[in-house]
Structure formats: C-alpha cells, structure tokens
C-alpha cells in the first residue's frame, strides 16, 4: 500500500486544474460532434432539475396552503417541520441529476467515453516523445455488459441510499446519535486515505455541527464513487478485475483523493454541474497520464493479431 502524503493531495488537486485547462485548449472538443455531447448533458440537467423540483415543491406548497387556513401553535410547528423537511429533501434532490447521469452512462456510455478518448489523443499529440495511450487503448477489444453494469450500479446506489437513511435514523438516538456521523466520516476516510487520516477526520467531525458532518460524509462517499466512474473507460479497456482496481487505487489514493475533491466541487455547482461532469471526464484522462505509465505496446500487437485471426481467408477460385 502506497504511503499517503499531503504532497500527493496537493498534486491531485493541481492535476485537476491542469486537466481542465488542457481540455479547454483542445480545439477538437469545440467541434460540432463534441459540442453535441455538452448540449445533450445540458438538456438532461435542465429536465432532471425541473422534474425533481416540481415533484418535491408542489406537495409541500399544497400542504402549506392547507395549513395557512388554520392559524395555531400546532400549525406554526407543522410549518417549521415542513420547512426543515423541505431543506433536507432538496439536499437529497440535488444529487438526483448526478445519479441519473451516471445511470444513463451505463445505458449509453459512448458520449462520455468519446470525451475521455479524445482527450487522451490530444495529450498524445502534445507529447510525441512518449509511448501513446489513446492508440493502444483504442485497439483493445472489450464487451460492454449493459444490463449487468446497470444492475450493479443500481445496487451500489441503493446500498448508499440505505446507508444514508440508516445513519440519519441512528443519529437521532439519544447519547449514541452524536457519534454516528463522526464514526462514518472516520471509516470513509480510513477506506480512502488510511488509518491515521481516518482517526484524525473522525476527531475533527466531533467539533463540527451535525449538518456540516452530514455534508462532509456524503462528499467523501461521493468522491470515491466519482473517481471510479471517471476512470471506467480506462478500466474496461484494460480488463481489470475488481481486485486489480482496488490495488490500482490503493497505490495512488492520495493523488486520486485530491483530484476527486476538485472534481466533486465542480460537478456540485447548481445547474451547470452535469455539464461540468463532461469537462471533468475529459480532464481525468490527463490525470491518468500522470499517475500511470502508458499501456504496453504488446497489448496493441496482441489486439492486432486477434483482428487478423478473426479475418477469414478468401479462397481462390
């Protein structure tokens, strides 16, 4: 397991900024084909935000309108409870467009996959002195299991929702509740960064208000998931197993954590967050070229040999 360092965290954040800058300099991404991808992401963003806000806001306003006719202390308390519920629900709803985007990536992954590969091609052109990334990865045969991938993602999402609800319920238990979110934050930090950092984060969480602890725990969980999704085009071409992915992440956890922190903050921006996801997807290609070596050229030759084997010889008449 690689040693965790503050320098690694800083480097990860710098790679995120540098990657986004390089994406903006890529003239190919500004062409019609890739502009359509950002338009596609924009439409999804506005539709999902509109639907989720309407579906949540209308019932709450209806109940408030009914309560408005009966002025009493109970009505005031009910109105305050509705306001608290509205804030909490909106916090949950804010994640719906992002979760839906990741779900749709398993149904139709091509747009985001193309962004990642185009960014790699541009980086290869900028550094002709090194072994290429894009051409070798593009030669790799891979088969997408749309239904299985979508099913696995749905199960992972449902597991996180259940965990979030469980933590919320446990946090209301007298005496014990105050330790729930600090413990969850410590455990998440331990999984992402290591034992010492997990303990430090858990102790810090004791001195934060409950709402801040909830947001930070959600961010830590979201950052881990985000990094896995951003690098999916690389992992699927490298045919990595779950164990190999875990080992790959473990060797670069501090740099990946720093990168994912910047990426998470960007995609959480209101309205434009989903569009920013496309930019971060392309920027992750730059981070990949920094933290790992180019794929072996033997992979490219092996893929070419497989293609030749698949071609049937034509018999002479």
């Amino acid at each position: 397991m690689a040693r965790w360092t503050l320098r690694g965290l800083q480097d990860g954040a710098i790679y995120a900024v540098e990657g986004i800058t390089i994406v903006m300099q890529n003239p190919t991404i500004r062409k019609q084909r890739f502009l359509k991808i950002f338009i596609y992401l924009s439409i999804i963003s506005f539709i999902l935000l509109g639907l989720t806000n309407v579906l949540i806001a209308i019932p709450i306003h209806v109940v408030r309108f009914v309560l408005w006719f009966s002025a009493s202390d109970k009505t005031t308390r009910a109105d305050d409870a509705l306001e608290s519920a509205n804030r909490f629900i909106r916090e949950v709803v804010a994640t719906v467009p992002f979760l839906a985007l990741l779900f749709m990536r398993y149904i139709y992954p091509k747009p985001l996959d193309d962004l990642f590969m185009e960014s790699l091609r541009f980086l290869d052109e900028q550094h002709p002195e090194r072994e290429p990334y894009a051409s070798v990865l593009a030669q790799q045969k891979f088969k997408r299991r749309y239904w299985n991938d979508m099913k696995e993602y749905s199960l992972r999402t449902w597991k996180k929702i259940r965990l979030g609800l469980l933590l919320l319920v446990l946090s209301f238990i007298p005496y014990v509740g105050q330790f729930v979110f600090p413990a969850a934050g410590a455990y998440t930090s331990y999984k992402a960064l290591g034992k010492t950092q997990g303990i430090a984060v858990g102790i810090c969480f004791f001195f934060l208000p409950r709402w801040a602890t909830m947001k930070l725990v959600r961010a830590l969980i979201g950052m881990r998931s985000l990094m896995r999704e951003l690098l999916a085009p690389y992992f699927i071409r490298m045919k990595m197993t779950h164990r190999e992915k875990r080992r790959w992440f473990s060797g670069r956890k501090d740099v990946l954590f720093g990168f994912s922190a910047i990426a998470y903050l960007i995609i959480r921006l209101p309205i434009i967050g989903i569009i920013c996801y496309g930019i971060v997807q392309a920027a992750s290609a730059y981070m990949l070229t920094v933290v790992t070596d180019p794929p072996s050229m033997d992979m490219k030759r092996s893929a070419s040999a497989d293609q030749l084997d698949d071609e049937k010889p034509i018999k002479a008449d």
Side-chain angles (χ1 to χ4, degrees), residues 43-53 93 96-98 100-101 104 274:
I43 293 171
I44 293 174
S45 176
F46 285 117
I47 290 175
L48 290 175
L49 279 173
L51 282 175
T52 50
N53 278 296
V93 165
V96 170
F98 175 60
L101 172 65
M104 291 183 69
I274 288 185

Side-chain angles (χ1 to χ4, degrees), residues 15-301:
Y15 297 153
V17 175
E18 290 177 348
I20 292 169
T21 304
I22 290 172
V23 169
M24 297 302 183
Q25 294 172 353
N26 187 349
T28 308
I29 287 186
R30 293 195 293 269
K31 290 183 179 179
Q32 183 179 8
R33 174 188 168 197
F34 291 100
L35 284 176
K36 284 182 179 178
I37 296 175
F38 287 103
I39 293 171
Y40 160 77
L41 293 174
S42 302
I43 293 171
I44 293 174
S45 176
F46 285 117
I47 290 175
L48 290 175
L49 279 173
L51 282 175
T52 50
N53 278 296
V54 166
L55 291 174
I56 296 300
I58 289 178
I60 289 177
H61 284 302
V62 168
V63 174
R64 277 183 154 178
F65 181 74
V66 172
L67 291 174
W68 183 70
F69 287 100
S70 55
S72 65
D73 292 338
K74 290 184 178 180
T75 302
T76 304
R77 288 196 295 271
D79 191 63
D80 292 339
L82 279 174
E83 183 60 34
S84 299
N86 189 27
R87 283 197 299 268
F88 174 75
I89 291 171
R90 284 188 179 278
E91 283 287 324
V92 175
V93 165
T95 64
V96 170
F98 175 60
L99 293 175
L101 172 65
L102 294 181
F103 184 78
M104 291 183 69
R105 123 171 239 140
Y106 290 100
I107 301 174
Y108 186 51
K110 191 175 185 302
L112 294 172
D113 193 86
D114 287 348
L115 275 174
F116 182 87
M117 292 302 293
E118 170 53 36
S119 192
L120 277 181
R121 290 187 191 96
F122 179 71
L123 289 164
D124 286 343
E125 292 174 1
Q126 300 297 307
H127 300 278
E129 74 282 357
R130 74 183 181 199
E131 296 294 328
Y133 285 83
S135 59
V136 178
L137 291 176
Q139 292 288 332
Q140 303 310 305
K141 289 185 176 181
F142 63 94
K143 183 179 180 182
R144 290 195 178 275
R145 304 171 303 157
Y146 293 99
W147 173 247
N148 286 335
D149 290 344
M150 192 165 49
K151 182 181 177 182
E152 288 174 6
Y153 172 71
S154 300
L155 290 174
R156 288 199 304 267
T157 303
W158 174 235
K159 183 179 177 181
K160 291 171 192 170
I161 293 172
R162 283 187 303 171
L163 177 62
L165 292 173
L166 177 63
L167 292 175
L168 185 64
V169 171
L170 291 176
S171 68
F172 287 105
I173 298 176
Y175 305 111
V176 179
Q178 60 181 323
F179 301 104
V180 172
F181 281 104
Y187 177 75
T188 307
S189 301
Y190 163 73
K191 295 289 286 184
L193 297 174
K195 184 190 297 185
T196 305
Q197 293 72 33
I199 294 172
V201 169
I203 293 172
C204 291
F205 277 8
F206 278 112
F207 299 98
L208 294 175
R210 184 166 170 271
W211 64 268
T213 307
M214 288 174 62
K215 284 192 173 185
L216 286 172
V217 170
R218 188 181 67 191
L220 288 170
I221 295 172
M223 285 159 55
R224 288 184 62 201
S225 302
L226 175 63
M227 209 64 250
R228 180 176 57 235
E229 301 298 339
L230 289 174
L231 292 171
Y234 172 73
F235 292 139
I236 194 172
R237 286 174 171 82
M238 296 296 290
K239 301 179 177 64
M240 284 190 178
T241 63
H242 180 67
R243 183 184 295 272
E244 288 170 337
K245 290 178 190 176
R246 289 185 65 179
R247 189 161 56 245
W248 191 93
F249 275 107
S250 178
R252 305 161 176 84
K253 56 187 177 183
D254 49 358
V255 176
L256 298 178
F257 189 90
F259 183 96
S260 64
I262 300 297
Y264 184 82
L265 289 173
I266 291 173
I267 66 169
R268 291 288 296 173
L269 293 173
I271 301 176
I272 63 170
I274 288 185
I275 305 170
C276 291
Y277 184 92
I279 296 172
V280 171
Q281 175 71 83
S284 65
Y286 169 75
M287 189 271 302
L288 178 72
T289 64
V290 177
V291 300
T292 192
D293 294 328
S296 171
M297 293 298 290
D298 292 336
M299 294 177 63
K300 184 174 181 179
R301 285 193 288 271

